[in-house]
Amino acid sequence: MIDVLKYLILFFLVFCAVFVARTKDMLSAVIIFAAYSLMMAILWLLLAAPDIAITEAAIGAGVTTLLLVAAVSKTRREE
Amino acid sequence: MEDIIVRYVSRFILPFVQLYGLYIVLHGHLSPGGGFSGGAIIGASMILYALSFNLAEGSKKLSHDVSSILESTGALIFAGMGLISILLGANFLANGAAGFPLGTPGNLFSGGSIAIITFGVGIKVASTMATLFYSLIEEEHSHEHH
């Protein structure tokens, strides 16, 4: 059961990574990147690294998203 | 950014976020996480405050000067604990060998100097996160004055 969840999350990570690069709208790319980080945090937890999971959830999904949104708000939204 | 829902939800959620960050920092020597993760959570709560209320109110709570002083304080705590170890006659950042009381493993007051060092790292990372965000946003203001 856990293995199925792991492979689902891995597939979702590849999916997100491809679409971050392909999306033309910068704000959507930032949101997809936040989803990528959140899934990555769950994967770290499943891989028995709770320390990294906490850091990934705080830095990747939290601070990086806020900083990137601030950067988008100061530049153009379209690529 | 004057949205009443965002403002009320963040006002409700902020104390819990900060308490959780403080918990992770203070239990850095016992449970997963530590100075960096907990400090990042506290810093993210400060950024959330500045985002949901306006920026002027955020920088009133934590001005640039205060956050740079806090940043230096965190680094000084880290280096100071290392130097205290040298003064006590052991290596830099030595813990038990320098004579810090180690306590019972698993208790909150244990681990000698590790808890204090983790607290210093937490202060440093939290203020760095806030400074990063403020310096990224505030540049816009100086542009508007041109």
Side-chain angles (χ1 to χ4, degrees), chain B residues 32-57:
Chain B
F36 187 72
S37 332
I41 293 173
I42 298 176
S45 79
M46 288 167 181
I47 295 177
L48 177 66
Y49 183 86
L51 264 183
S52 56
F53 297 80
N54 51 35
L55 193 70
E57 204 154 331

Side-chain angles (χ1 to χ4, degrees), chain B residues 54-128:
Chain B
N54 51 35
L55 193 70
E57 204 154 331
S59 47
K60 210 194 294 173
K61 290 272 183 202
L62 186 78
S63 66
H64 236 298
D65 298 333
V66 174
S67 80
S68 59
I69 288 173
L70 280 178
E71 226 178 309
S72 313
T73 310
L76 274 179
I77 288 174
F78 193 102
M81 289 311 289
L83 290 178
I84 285 173
S85 294
I86 290 183
L87 286 180
L88 290 173
N91 289 331
F92 185 71
L93 284 178
N95 195 359
F100 286 111
L102 291 180
T104 328
N107 280 2
L108 181 57
F109 294 103
S110 65
S113 61
I114 296 178
I116 304 169
I117 291 170
T118 307
F119 189 67
V121 173
I123 295 176
K124 168 100 179 146
V125 174
S127 53
T128 304

Side-chain angles (χ1 to χ4, degrees), chain A:
Chain A
M1 186 58 210
I2 284 290
D3 277 341
V4 175
L5 187 62
K6 265 185 203 169
Y7 284 114
L8 263 177
I9 289 174
L10 282 172
F11 178 75
F12 187 80
L13 284 181
V14 174
F15 186 80
C16 280
V18 169
F19 271 82
V20 165
R22 288 182 62 90
T23 313
K24 293 277 184 249
D25 187 2
M26 286 300 170
L27 196 60
S28 310
V30 172
I31 301 301
I32 297 171
F33 191 61
Y36 174 92
S37 287
L38 211 58
M39 284 298 140
M40 200 71 210
I42 297 173
L43 193 62
W44 286 126
L45 196 62
L46 292 178
L47 293 173
D51 199 358
I52 312 296
I54 295 172
T55 311
E56 177 80 36
I59 300 280
V63 178
T64 307
T65 309
L66 288 174
L67 290 181
L68 286 176
V69 166
V72 167
S73 75
K74 294 185 67 179
T75 52
R76 283 177 299 118
R77 191 174 160 177
E78 296 296 319
E79 193 178 356

